């Protein structure tokens, strides 16, 4: 078995979509970077890699047995054993997982570029290991888990705010005041005001969702800010992202 040593990881917990497991250039100073003493490296087939990167499904038991207690981390000068963790690659991309003792990849991380290149060098010319998956991997996307193309090209901050906007829209759809949907669609697209009045609630919501689910602009951000106003949970996320952005800008100056 191949092993990597002194690995830098930045864990993202409970993320099913790979686009939310941020690559090195999007790591922040406040992220909790950890060093892994030793961890197995697996070259796996494409379907299994996709499942690990973009879902939270149970991992093959044979894979878990192969990596069990083979990862070590140092905390306070003491070496701790990790139950199930590994670096996995399909030969052209890399992700690290830690199951926290469960059977699914609860925590995921990317690697720094130098260590990513080392992965590709280590597996070059090797055949991927075969692990039988109990179920065929078919990823289902929805408003709270958008398709990758709808997040493509967005920064970490923009992805976070877009997810917040989708959460707010989902809540709006199921609210006790469906007439608000036409109001917010008019806020989004005021030039269509007269035709919006003729839409059913479902038609209005679908048009609002389709209009906002692609890309990210200042118009998206303004709508998001208005939608979350007065909702403590959403406002906390909104303010947190803006504070992080301000810190990042100051650190660059």
């Amino acid at each position: 078995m191949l092993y990597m040593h002194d690995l830098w990881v930045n864990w993202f917990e409970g993320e099913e979509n790979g686009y939310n497991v941020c690559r090195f250039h999007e790591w922040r100073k406040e992220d909790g970077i950890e060093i892994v003493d030793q961890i197995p490296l697996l070259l796996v087939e494409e379907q299994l890699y996709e499942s690990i990167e973009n879902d939270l499904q149970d991992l093959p038991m044979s894979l878990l047995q192969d990596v069990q207690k083979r990862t070590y981390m140092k905390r306070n000068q003491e070496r701790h054993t990790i139950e199930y963790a590994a670096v996995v690659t399909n030969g052209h991309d890399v992700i690290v997982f830690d199951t926290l003792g469960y059977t699914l990849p609860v925590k995921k991380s990317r690697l720094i570029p130098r260590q990513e290149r080392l992965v590709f060098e280590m597996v070059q010319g090797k055949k991927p290991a075969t692990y039988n998956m109990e179920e065929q991997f078919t990823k289902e996307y929805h408003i709270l888990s958008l398709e990758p193309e709808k997040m493509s090209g967005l920064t970490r901050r923009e992805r976070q705010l877009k997810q917040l906007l989708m959460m707010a829209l989902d809540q709006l759809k199921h609210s006790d005041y469906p007439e608000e949907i036409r109001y917010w669609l008019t806020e989004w697209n005021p030039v269509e005001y007269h035709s919006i009045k003729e839409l059913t609630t479902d038609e209005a919501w679908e048009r609002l969702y389709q209009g906002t689910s692609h890309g990210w602009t200042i118009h998206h951000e303004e709508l998001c800010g208005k939608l979350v106003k007065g909702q403590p949970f959403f406002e906390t996320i909104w303010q947190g992202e803006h504070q992080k952005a301000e810190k990042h800008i100051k650190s660059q100056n």
Side-chain angles (χ1 to χ4, degrees):
M1 179 170 283
L2 298 172
Y3 290 94
M4 300 193 74
H5 300 274
D6 299 322
L7 211 65
W8 289 27
V9 290
N10 181 14
W11 296 118
F12 291 84
E13 192 166 330
E15 292 291 356
E16 59 174 311
N17 292 304
Y19 54 69
N20 283 330
V21 183
C22 295
R23 297 189 183 273
F24 175 68
H25 69 275
E26 290 194 315
W27 290 7
R28 294 169 172 168
K29 285 187 175 180
E30 64 268 22
D31 289 342
I33 312 301
E34 296 182 355
I35 306 294
V36 182
D37 257 16
Q38 172 185 297
I39 188 169
L41 166 61
L42 301 175
L43 174 62
V44 299
E45 294 172 331
E46 186 68 36
Q47 187 182 22
L48 177 55
Y49 181 85
E50 279 287 315
S51 175
I52 294 170
E53 184 181 45
N54 290 304
D55 217 327
L56 288 172
Q57 300 293 326
D58 285 333
L59 297 167
M61 190 52 63
S62 54
L63 183 153
L64 294 174
Q65 290 169 347
D66 281 351
V67 303
Q68 188 172 21
K69 294 185 180 349
R70 293 176 182 265
T71 297
Y72 302 97
M73 296 188 73
K74 265 188 184 172
R75 295 193 185 98
N76 301 322
Q77 302 305 311
E78 290 186 12
R79 208 177 193 213
H80 295 267
T81 305
I82 305 300
E83 189 71 18
Y84 302 119
V87 180
V88 289
T89 180
N90 54 6
H92 54 82
D93 208 352
V94 186
I95 201 159
V96 191
F97 73 81
D98 178 356
T99 71
L100 293 180
Y102 299 102
T103 56
L104 58 158
V106 179
K107 296 200 300 184
K108 303 176 190 179
S109 175
R110 300 294 178 180
L111 295 181
I112 63 174
R114 173 176 56 81
Q115 292 175 328
E116 198 171 73
R117 288 194 297 272
L118 179 59
V119 167
F120 300 138
E121 291 171 10
M122 291 174 70
V123 302
Q124 191 170 15
K126 298 187 181 299
K127 289 185 177 181
T130 301
Y131 294 103
N132 292 325
M133 299 174 66
E134 290 186 9
E135 295 181 16
Q136 292 297 310
F137 172 64
T138 49
K139 172 77 174 181
E140 292 184 6
Y141 294 100
H142 50 81
I143 187 170
L144 301 179
S145 178
L146 292 175
E147 297 91 333
E149 57 266 26
K150 291 180 178 175
M151 290 293 198
S152 179
L154 273 57
T155 65
R156 178 174 176 177
R157 174 180 175 276
E158 289 168 347
R159 291 194 303 273
Q160 293 289 340
L161 291 179
K162 186 163 186 178
Q163 286 183 169
L164 177 60
L165 175 58
M166 293 299 117
M167 288 163 64
L169 288 179
D170 186 58
Q171 180 176 287
L172 179 66
K173 183 179 183 180
H174 300 100
S175 78
D176 295 330
Y177 305 99
E179 63 275 8
E180 285 188 11
I181 295 172
R182 275 186 288 271
Y183 168 81
W184 289 112
L185 178 58
T186 305
E187 279 283 309
W188 171 254
N189 194 358
V191 297
E192 299 289 333
Y193 169 70
H194 292 292
S195 63
I196 290 170
K197 288 194 297 182
E198 307 301 320
L199 298 175
T200 67
T201 300
D202 288 346
E203 288 170 340
W205 188 88
E206 187 63 28
R207 189 177 292 187
L208 181 58
Y209 169 68
Q210 291 299 335
T212 55
S213 63
H214 295 274
W216 186 260
T217 64
I218 188 63
H219 199 17
H220 285 81
E221 189 153 335
E222 288 171 352
L223 179 68
C224 185
K226 292 173 183 175
L227 267 171
V228 303
K229 199 166 185 180
Q231 302 189 65
F233 174 69
F234 289 165
E235 280 193 324
T236 299
I237 300 173
W238 171 265
Q239 290 163 3
E241 281 305 312
H242 280 75
Q243 287 166 2
K244 288 169 188 172
E246 288 170 6
K247 282 183 184 176
H248 181 71
I249 291 169
K250 286 178 182 175
S251 69
Q252 299 298 307
N253 295 332

